[in-house]
Amino acid sequence: MTSIPGGPAMPAHLLSLARATTGFMPDDEGLALYRAACLATSLARGPLLEVGAYCGKSTVYLGAAARRGGRILFSVDHHRGSEENQAGWDHHDPRLVDPGNGRMDTLPWWRRTVEAAGLEPWVVGVVGDSSTVARHWGTPLALVFIDGGHGSEPAWADYWGWAPHVGMGGILAIHDVFPDPADGGRPPFELWCRALESGAFAEVSACGSLRVLRRVSAGC
Ligand code: SAH
Ligand code: MG
C-alpha cells in the first residue's frame, strides 16, 4: 500500500507549525494523516475525532483538514500522558510535568498549539478518558484517528469504543502499526488486523506506521 497520491496541499504555515510541535508524528505520516482526513471529508458526513492529542501535533494536521472541509475536529485526551509518557519511561518529557502536582499535563501545550494554528473555530478539545467519552458518544464520524494509550487494554478500549462510530464510507486511521514486533508494540497492529478481518474496513493507504482504512460495511 502506498500513500494517497497527490492529495491536496496543506497550507504552508500550518505544515511548518505541525512539524515544529512537540509530539510523535513523523513529517511524512503527518501529511498522510492530513490527506486521509481530507479524503474523509469528501467521503463521509460528520465531524472528525482523534484519540491521543498530546501537545497538538496530529491535531494540527487533522484540524487543517477539518477547516478545509468545513467540519469540526473533536480532540480527545485526558492530557495526563500514556503509561509510556510517565517519568522513568522512554517517551517521558520532563517539560510536560505540572510542577504544582508533579503530574503530566499536556493541556496547556495543546491549547497553545491550537491557538497558534488559528484553528480554535474548528477544533474542540475533549478532556477526559477516551473510553468514558466513547460510551456517551452518539454522532457518526467521518474519521476516527486512534493514537491514545498503546497498551493492550487502552488500545482495545479505543477500538471497541470508537470504531463503531465511523460512519459508512468514513475513515479509521490507526497510528503505530508495526507488523514486525522488533519495530514496536503489538496492540495497534492487532487493532488494524481486527479491522481488516472484520470485513467492515478496507485498507486505503499506509505511510510509515500510519494505516488508513475505510468503512465498507457495518460492524467492526
Ligand atoms: N497524536 C499525538 C501523540 C499522542 S500520545 C501526536 O501527534 O503527537 C498519546 C496520548 O494519548 C497522550 O497524550 C495520552 O495522554 C493520551 N491517552 C492515553 N490514554 C488515554 C485515555 N485512556 N484517554 C484519553 N487519553 C489518553
Ligand atoms: Mg502515535
Side-chain angles (χ1 to χ4, degrees):
M1 280 284 162
T2 52
S3 60
I4 298 165
M10 188 165 154
H13 72 287
L14 292 178
L15 188 58
S16 54
L17 181 83
R19 289 180 170 175
T21 299
T22 298
F24 303 106
M25 178 70 50
D27 293 351
D28 57 340
E29 296 177 24
L31 204 50
L33 183 63
Y34 169 74
R35 288 182 176 157
C38 289
L39 183 67
T41 64
S42 72
L43 291 176
R45 296 169 186 277
L48 317 179
L49 185 140
E50 73 168 335
V51 181
Y54 199 57
C55 299
K57 196 178 186 69
S58 50
T59 312
V60 174
Y61 289 112
L62 293 169
R67 186 182 82 165
R68 182 177 182 276
R71 306 292 174 95
I72 295 298
L73 167 67
F74 289 95
S75 176
V76 180
D77 201 308
H78 51 38
H79 289 283
R80 294 303 188 188
S82 303
E83 193 179 16
E84 55 273 19
N85 303 129
Q86 305 304 320
W89 290 71
D90 277 359
H91 295 293
H92 180 62
D93 182 340
R95 292 174 305 161
L96 308 178
V97 174
D98 177 346
N101 58 14
R103 300 177 71 194
M104 290 274 302
D105 186 5
T106 50
L107 180 57
W109 294 71
W110 179 87
R111 206 169 163 79
R112 278 195 291 271
T113 300
V114 175
E115 183 189 22
L119 287 171
E120 285 178 325
W122 296 277
V123 177
V124 175
V126 181
V127 181
D129 170 62
S130 164
S131 57
T132 306
V133 179
R135 257 199 312 280
H136 296 275
W137 194 267
T139 304
L141 296 160
L143 171 139
V144 167
F145 173 53
I146 297 183
D147 193 23
H150 288 15
S152 192
E153 207 180 302
W156 281 109
D158 284 340
Y159 183 80
W160 298 121
W162 290 110
H165 295 296
V166 177
M168 190 53 70
I171 296 286
L172 174 65
I174 305 175
H175 198 226
D176 303 300
V177 171
F178 298 111
D180 181 347
D183 295 330
R186 304 314 284 153
F189 172 72
E190 291 165 3
L191 268 51
W192 174 71
C193 291
R194 166 69 209 187
L196 286 173
E197 279 160 16
S198 74
F201 295 94
E203 188 153 13
V204 172
S205 66
C207 177
S209 74
L210 178 72
R211 294 291 180 283
V212 178
L213 306 154
R214 186 172 54 92
R215 181 179 285 290
V216 291
S217 65
C220 60

